[in-house]
Amino acid sequence: MKIIDAHAHLWLNAVTVVNGSPIHPLEPNRSRSLFFGEERQMLPPFMTDGHNTAERFLSNMDYAQVSAAVITQEFIDGLQNSYLQTVSRQYPDRFFCFGMPEWRQADYYDQALSLIAHGFKGLKIPAARLPKNFLEEDEFRRVLFLMQGNDVILGIELMDGDAQTGMMEELIADFPYLKIAIGHFGMVTRPGWMSQIRLARHKNVYVESGGITWLFNDEFYPFPSAIRAIREAADEVGWQKLMWGSDYPRTITAITYRMSYDFITKSKELTDDQKQLFLSDNARQFFGFGDLIELPYIKNMSE
């Protein structure tokens, strides 16, 4: 199986402000950050320079036998459009990169136009970090019209539960050819999460599981409740609508990168066909990956 990670992050320097709170690496341990006023381990402790680069991720991907990855963005990363353009040029067969306008600025339509002109085939919006009714703005609808006309994918993370699903239903109806990826598996451990999964009943909407190991972190590996949630979502919308995502690198402060998916491959509650769809085929079709690299298993020194 040639595995595709549908939700990961890259950055050179993660320095930003969200809701008036600074987020930046801490000296001298730049793998930790000031995160909304608290010290957090944002990267594995050996990443002491704070750089979460494509080359480091590719090393993890090659070791874990992950052929390709989708790079998303979030306000807490700081905008990484310039760096991700470079990544896309250097590794076109390994990465699909989302661009992200600064949605908190008035000229975000012009920024979206520029990002599309510079080759981005996906735009990301962390809607959960914006005002609840942002999705109803006329300017945002202009962006969606632009995206639909240019075959650009929308990646979106919504507020918990059904806070924004009604607005999304209206947008999906008005933009039936806009491909949409719902992130974080609908915030699966929060009440009302299935309302977000049900959006994937529409033919152009898929759901990716980025962060699912974080959301079930209290239970920890092998995340049996995550397996049950994936099966429940599949019963609702079909296996062909769900994609695996790791939320690398923050999730691998608690587990290894391989562990972020092998709880799926080792599960006896899923069939081989279901694993193939979830870990590979759905993302390959949705994001348009071509030929995928085949990666050998490399034996550990401890084996």
Side-chain angles (χ1 to χ4, degrees):
M1 189 190 314
K2 295 178 180 178
I3 296 172
I4 298 173
D5 186 343
H7 184 122
H9 297 261
L10 295 176
W11 62 76
L12 281 182
N13 294 287
V15 178
T16 186
V17 174
V18 181
N19 297 334
S21 297
I23 299 171
H24 58 78
L26 293 172
E27 298 290 356
N29 188 344
R30 290 175 58 84
S31 61
R32 295 178 184 170
S33 288
L34 182 69
F35 184 81
F36 296 115
E38 295 182 349
E39 184 173 330
R40 295 287 185 90
Q41 191 73 41
M42 298 288 275
L43 291 168
F46 53 79
M47 290 190 187
T48 55
D49 60 4
H51 296 166
N52 171 37
T53 64
E55 289 74 23
R56 284 177 173 168
F57 190 25
L58 284 168
S59 181
N60 272 285
M61 290 168 63
D62 290 352
Y63 170 70
Q65 296 174 282
V66 174
S67 295
V70 177
I71 306 303
T72 188
Q73 295 200 55
E74 227 273 26
F75 288 139
I76 63 175
D77 299 345
L79 265 65
Q80 301 294 325
N81 295 315
S82 178
Y83 178 54
L84 295 185
Q85 267 190 280
T86 300
V87 170
S88 295
R89 287 195 301 268
Q90 288 182 321
Y91 309 106
D93 298 329
R94 303 298 300 273
F95 295 118
F96 176 102
C97 295
F98 277 99
M100 188 168 76
E102 177 47 273
W103 300 103
R104 298 167 295 187
Q105 293 179 355
D107 66 341
Y108 66 76
Y109 176 86
D110 293 334
Q111 294 182 42
L113 188 64
S114 176
L115 289 170
I116 293 171
H118 281 86
F120 282 102
K121 298 302 292 180
L123 294 183
K124 170 65 184 297
I125 178 168
R129 298 194 187 278
L130 292 165
K132 179 180 176 180
N133 296 325
F134 183 91
L135 302 181
E136 297 180 321
E137 287 189 4
D138 289 341
E139 196 73 351
F140 181 61
R141 295 176 71 86
R142 285 185 67 209
V143 173
L144 298 188
F145 184 79
L146 173 71
M147 293 173 67
Q148 181 175 253
N150 287 275
D151 195 26
V152 173
I153 296 171
L154 175 68
I156 187 167
E157 282 138 20
L158 300 169
M159 293 178 176
D160 291 358
D162 63 359
Q164 294 175 310
T165 53
M167 301 173 211
M168 282 301 299
E169 289 280 4
E170 292 183 14
L171 293 174
I172 292 165
D174 290 343
F175 300 94
Y177 303 106
L178 175 67
K179 293 170 73 173
I180 300 170
I182 306 293
H184 288 169
F185 219 66
M187 294 300 290
V188 56
T189 54
R190 311 291 196 259
W193 67 279
M194 189 58 73
S195 64
Q196 295 189 33
I197 302 297
R198 292 191 186 104
L199 293 171
R201 290 174 174 175
H202 299 276
K203 66 178 183 179
N204 55 320
V205 181
Y206 284 54
V207 175
E208 46 90 344
S209 73
I212 198 167
T213 60
W214 151 61
L215 289 163
F216 285 100
N217 184 65
D218 288 347
E219 180 181 82
F220 206 64
Y221 188 89
F223 310 107
S225 296
I227 294 289
R228 288 192 291 272
I230 292 166
R231 292 183 63 189
E232 185 179 352
D235 287 343
E236 196 74 21
V237 300
W239 279 100
Q240 74 281 3
K241 286 303 195 78
L242 306 178
M243 305 179 287
W244 168 69
S246 69
D247 212 2
Y248 173 99
R250 297 182 182 98
T251 47
I252 67 164
T253 58
I255 58 176
T256 68
Y257 184 50
R258 183 183 291 274
M259 289 167 70
S260 68
Y261 77 80
D262 76 354
F263 75 98
I264 303 285
T265 61
K266 292 177 179 176
S267 173
K268 294 183 174 148
E269 296 184 46
L270 308 178
T271 69
D272 288 345
D273 287 346
Q274 290 165 351
K275 295 171 185 177
Q276 180 78 35
L277 289 169
F278 187 64
L279 292 169
S280 182
D281 292 356
N282 295 338
R284 185 172 187 171
Q285 178 270 325
F286 185 80
F287 290 103
F289 283 103
D291 292 335
L292 296 173
I293 187 173
E294 187 163 347
L295 297 163
Y297 177 74
I298 303 299
K299 195 173 182 179
N300 290 321
M301 283 292 293
S302 57
E303 292 181 78

